[in-house]
Amino acid sequence: MYKTTVKINGMACGMCESHICDVIRKQFPDAKKVSASHTKNEATFLTENQVDGGVLADAIEKTGYHYVSASTEPYEKKKHGLFGFGR
């Protein structure tokens, strides 16, 4: 899995966050744990494959918000239980 963090300008409230999350989910249907923060000016989400930055930028710009940058890094699910062992 991959975690993508997108820097976005123009979000001012919770509704703005909701719009960004909707756009990400629509553009990348396999996206999981999609969240956005207007105070941090960013959104994060998980996908099975790396996302196309150009597609992401276009989708955000079409909403009226301003795409600044994006970074993607490998993501591993955290293990559950004591010392990382499942129960």
Side-chain angles (χ1 to χ4, degrees):
M1 290 198 102
Y2 293 91
K3 179 181 179 181
T4 301
T5 302
V6 190
K7 294 292 185 182
I8 304 163
N9 284 336
M11 292 189 292
C13 63
M15 198 59 157
C16 297
E17 295 169 355
S18 180
H19 288 149
I20 290 295
C21 290
D22 289 346
V23 166
I24 291 170
R25 287 186 190 102
K26 183 177 179 182
Q27 196 64 51
F28 304 101
D30 71 328
K32 295 174 178 42
K33 295 189 178 184
V34 180
S35 66
S37 169
H38 71 277
T39 57
K40 293 181 181 179
N41 292 319
E42 71 178 26
T44 60
F45 59 99
L46 303 176
T47 52
E48 290 295 326
N49 300 303
Q50 289 186 339
V51 298
D52 182 330
V55 170
L56 180 59
D58 286 346
I60 290 171
E61 288 289 328
K62 285 180 183 176
T63 64
Y65 301 101
H66 303 288
Y67 170 90
V68 176
S69 65
S71 61
T72 301
E73 61 189 16
Y75 175 83
E76 290 185 29
K77 290 182 182 179
K78 294 180 181 171
K79 302 199 188 239
H80 299 286
L82 188 62
F83 304 112
F85 296 105
R87 292 185 174 196

